[in-house]
Amino acid sequence: MKVVQTRTYGNLLVSDWEAFWAAGYGPSGNLGGVSIFIRGNWRPFIKQTEIIIDGRAQVVVFEKENVVWGLVNIYAPNQASNRAIFWDTVAEKLPDCVTNWIVCGDFNMLEQPSDRVGGSNSTIHGRELAAWERLVFKTRILDAWNVCSFSRLNGTLLFSRSNRRNLDGQLSLRDSTNLSRIDRYYISDYFGSEGGFIGIMAGTTLSDHAPIILESRKSQPKSKAFIRIPDHLILDQSLKEEATLIWTRVMASHGTTPERVTTALKEMSRFFHGKATLKAKEYREKEKNLRRLLMALQHLQERNPTCSWTSRLLSQAQQHIYDLEGKRDQFNFHKFSALWSQIGDRCNAGFFDHCKPKTFSGGVKQLKRPDGSFAMTPEDMMQVATDYYKELLTAEECTPEMYNCRRKVWSKINPRVTEAMGVQLTVPLTILELTEAVQALSTHSCPGEDGLTPKFFSEYWEILKSPLCEAFQAILDTGRMPSQLAEGLIFFIPKGDGPSDDIKKWRPITILSTTYKILAKAVSLRLQPLLTTLIHVSQTGFIKERSNT
């Protein structure tokens, strides 16, 4: 879900949007107003719409996947006395059945001095502060700009309003001496716990306010949750005893070794997933409570900035939140994507791609079909991608002429693998080779669907190594691999510039399980000593001790 607060809407009227208007305020209703635009695919989920105050406040309530949440757009009065009445009216008229909120708009007030540069430093106080806190208490909202789980978009400004324009009539939001952030988004825990992106974009000549963008990760369809098993759960000795019993019980059952190994690993993955889910939920609840405490402490500090006791508690609460976020990040499926940009080789293409503005953002929202229509649901987009890659990757039918031509070409090629090399390559796998393969795997490697990382195999290697060696050898001897072991997760990454609804602009990558990677690494290590003999010196890619420079 992406929410865009902007004062220019010409391009929206010709798109698939529906407008909800609140009549302008003032004696004749012509002194401005508010509106909410809803994208077409969200219309079926609209539960209620209501004008709270003409020209000043309106609400749209949605219900999707048994979750009810409300979007409030406001334009607060300029005078503090009028705003106090305004906040009380909004709090009174908001539906009581809704507990999850996004409140956005022009608030015309400052919560803290850092929201303004130049001009008056006066922040909300007195009767207005009491009314505002009643609204905040009812909706349980926080300023998204200060929520740690929301990242700032590249190129974002720090303030949304300026009283100065340059020679071309554009807002001078960077150079003005009187800047403020009176346009804001407030969000409840439901959105804050998942995070997202927020940014203030460059303004236009149509308004003295700049557009604000908020994108919540709640917009991503969650057909299935994939959890990375954190290291601290893998190292927990009490859990290790239970996991070992699960492995022993499954391995004592009937069936071939590959089938029993994959089933046992699946059961261990299920066991750790259950523990990880409970732990992640515990961290989220703690973070919610800490954020409520943080908000209350911030209000106390604004009332009494010199109180050292409040400052100390505020600092401790912030530190606790950072610690919890670090623990919660261990469950992230792509845990190391952000870590690499911090500790990796920074002077490379990946680092600069990370820093520059993205052409694509937020994943695949919709895909264009060959007939020009758009697929917008996950199921329809899956079908578009499947049809495209099935046609692209299906081999051309081999005619007798093509078959004879291929046989003629292959008959002229002399094998480079000698009999001695063949013996060296086909001897049974050993536990030592598999141990080297596990040690060679990167600890930053993304796990497969089961969430089992290289750390898991290192920790449980004593009970895993013999059955795995036997299972891998059976796979190589029979040429048959259990379907669970061959399954992978396919992700799309953007390829070059272009419209994000074009399937050709996305490159699929497959994330395989760590079990599969161990077998592949063992085979790779066995081939490595022979590559320099088998591959011509002109080919340098992925061959040890060869360089293309």
Side-chain angles (χ1 to χ4, degrees):
M1 171 203 49
K2 182 178 289 188
V3 187
V4 180
Q5 176 192 333
T6 178
R7 311 206 174 222
T8 60
Y9 49 82
N11 63 324
L12 298 179
L13 297 179
V14 297
S15 303
D16 187 25
W17 297 76
E18 182 175 354
F20 295 85
W21 297 91
Y25 66 93
S28 57
N30 62 352
L31 296 180
V34 292
S35 62
I36 295 177
F37 290 86
I38 307 297
R39 194 73 180 264
N41 55 327
W42 278 92
R43 290 175 192 161
F45 306 108
I46 297 175
K47 182 180 179 181
Q48 176 184 349
T49 63
E50 184 179 346
I51 305 299
I52 300 175
I53 301 175
D54 276 343
R56 291 290 189 182
Q58 62 182 150
V59 60
V60 177
V61 178
F62 301 86
E63 182 173 7
K64 185 178 181 182
E65 299 176 355
N66 298 320
V67 176
V68 180
W69 62 277
L71 174 63
V72 183
N73 189 17
I74 65 170
Y75 180 22
N78 292 326
Q79 293 78 25
S81 57
N82 293 337
R83 285 198 301 270
I85 301 173
F86 178 79
W87 302 133
D88 276 334
T89 304
V90 172
E92 179 184 351
K93 292 189 176 182
L94 286 181
D96 294 327
C97 61
V98 183
T99 56
N100 307 305
W101 291 100
I102 295 179
V103 183
C104 62
D106 182 351
F107 290 79
N108 267 322
M109 62 84 174
L110 305 176
E111 271 203 290
Q112 48 194 349
S114 60
D115 289 335
R116 181 191 291 275
V117 172
S120 171
N121 252 347
S122 175
T123 57
I124 186 171
H125 60 278
R127 181 187 171 194
E128 183 189 1
L129 177 60
W132 170 250
E133 287 184 336
R134 284 191 287 271
L135 173 61
V136 169
F137 181 79
K138 178 175 182 177
T139 54
R140 302 284 187 179
I141 52 176
L142 289 168
D143 187 349
W145 189 259
N146 299 321
V147 175
C148 301
S149 57
F150 273 78
S151 304
R152 305 281 174 88
L153 291 170
N154 288 325
T156 186
L157 305 176
L158 298 179
F159 302 96
S160 62
R161 185 181 182 275
S162 169
N163 64 346
R164 179 182 297 180
R165 295 177 180 271
N166 59 26
L167 296 177
D168 297 326
Q170 298 288 333
L171 288 177
S172 181
L173 285 165
R174 298 186 186 275
D175 304 323
S176 176
T177 56
N178 190 349
L179 302 170
S180 58
R181 193 174 64 84
I182 58 176
D183 307 275
R184 295 190 288 273
Y185 281 101
Y186 288 85
I187 56 176
S188 63
D189 294 334
Y190 174 72
F191 300 99
S193 62
E194 292 296 323
F197 303 93
I198 188 169
I200 302 174
M201 301 297 101
T204 69
T205 58
L206 297 179
S207 173
D208 57 351
H209 296 254
I212 308 175
I213 294 178
L214 176 82
E215 183 170 352
S216 168
R217 294 194 185 101
K218 287 289 184 184
S219 61
Q220 303 302 321
K222 294 189 176 180
S223 56
K224 188 174 182 180
F226 300 107
I227 299 179
R228 182 188 190 95
I229 308 301
D231 291 350
H232 70 269
L233 289 183
I234 294 172
L235 298 174
D236 191 316
Q237 291 302 312
S238 60
L239 297 183
K240 189 172 183 178
E241 293 177 3
E242 295 183 59
T244 302
L245 289 175
I246 293 173
W247 173 268
T248 305
R249 174 176 54 82
V250 177
M251 291 304 297
S253 62
H254 298 288
T256 64
T257 301
E259 291 173 345
R260 285 185 288 126
V261 167
T262 53
T263 303
L265 289 174
K266 184 177 181 180
E267 290 297 320
M268 294 178 79
S269 168
R270 187 176 300 169
F271 167 74
F272 278 113
H273 265 265
K275 299 297 182 181
T277 302
L278 291 176
K279 187 63 68 173
K281 183 178 180 180
E282 176 188 335
Y283 289 154
R284 282 196 298 269
E285 290 300 320
K286 287 183 178 179
E287 185 179 346
K288 287 180 182 179
N289 294 332
L290 280 171
R291 291 193 184 281
R292 293 192 182 104
L293 174 62
L294 186 67
M295 182 175 64
L297 289 172
Q298 287 173 339
H299 286 310
L300 285 175
Q301 189 181 48
E302 290 171 5
R303 294 179 180 179
N304 191 358
T306 60
C307 179
S308 59
W309 176 80
T310 305
S311 300
R312 185 170 61 255
L313 287 180
L314 187 62
S315 177
Q316 291 174 356
Q318 290 172 336
Q319 186 59 49
H320 286 316
I321 289 176
Y322 293 144
D323 293 342
L324 277 175
E325 287 178 339
K327 291 179 179 179
R328 195 157 58 87
D329 185 59
Q330 296 181 26
F331 298 89
N332 189 353
F333 192 68
H334 300 287
K335 172 185 173 184
F336 293 99
S337 58
L339 179 64
W340 176 249
S341 68
Q342 298 174 16
I343 67 173
D345 180 9
R346 300 178 69 86
C347 191
N348 57 23
F351 170 72
F352 291 107
D353 286 342
H354 178 78
C355 294
K356 72 180 182 181
K358 302 293 185 182
T359 304
F360 299 106
S361 62
V364 185
K365 303 295 186 183
Q366 60 183 16
L367 288 176
K368 183 182 291 186
R369 298 187 180 96
D371 61 4
S373 61
F374 290 94
M376 304 183 72
T377 66
E379 295 77 13
D380 291 343
M381 289 191 289
M382 176 74 75
Q383 190 61 50
V384 171
T386 301
D387 293 342
Y388 172 76
Y389 286 107
K390 185 176 181 180
E391 180 181 356
L392 181 67
L393 302 176
T394 299
E396 185 180 355
E397 183 180 356
C398 185
T399 63
E401 293 79 8
M402 293 173 61
Y403 177 74
N404 293 330
C405 182
R406 290 174 182 175
R407 285 191 60 185
K408 185 176 181 180
V409 171
W410 282 109
S411 65
K412 302 295 183 181
I413 297 176
N414 297 321
R416 298 178 63 88
V417 179
T418 65
E419 186 175 344
M421 291 179 182
V423 172
Q424 182 181 347
L425 291 172
T426 56
V427 295
L429 283 172
T430 65
I431 292 178
L432 179 60
E433 287 180 298
L434 294 183
T435 303
E436 292 178 357
V438 171
Q439 294 173 349
L441 290 178
S442 170
T443 56
H444 294 183
S445 177
C446 184
E449 183 178 357
D450 58 13
L452 299 177
T453 63
K455 183 69 175 178
F456 165 80
F457 286 88
S458 298
E459 187 66 22
Y460 287 82
W461 189 238
E462 285 303 315
I463 65 171
L464 298 177
K465 59 184 181 182
S466 295
L468 275 179
C469 187
E470 185 180 343
F472 288 159
Q473 188 59 50
I475 290 171
L476 295 175
D477 291 340
T478 62
R480 298 176 182 176
M481 180 179 292
S483 59
Q484 296 176 5
L485 188 60
E487 290 177 350
L489 300 172
I490 299 177
F491 292 89
F492 283 108
I493 58 175
K495 180 178 66 174
D497 297 329
S500 61
D501 55 24
D502 186 355
I503 185 63
K504 298 177 182 178
K505 298 300 180 182
W506 295 91
R507 179 185 293 112
I509 60 170
T510 304
I511 307 299
L512 298 167
S513 68
T514 305
T515 313
Y516 185 98
K517 293 176 184 177
I518 293 173
L519 175 57
K521 192 67 176 179
V523 174
S524 173
L525 291 175
R526 180 174 286 192
L527 283 170
Q528 194 71 42
L530 303 178
L531 293 183
T532 55
T533 304
L534 299 175
I535 299 179
H536 194 271
V537 294
S538 62
Q539 299 184 28
T540 59
F542 305 101
I543 300 178
K544 198 172 183 180
E545 298 179 355
R546 286 191 185 179
S547 174
N548 57 3
T549 58

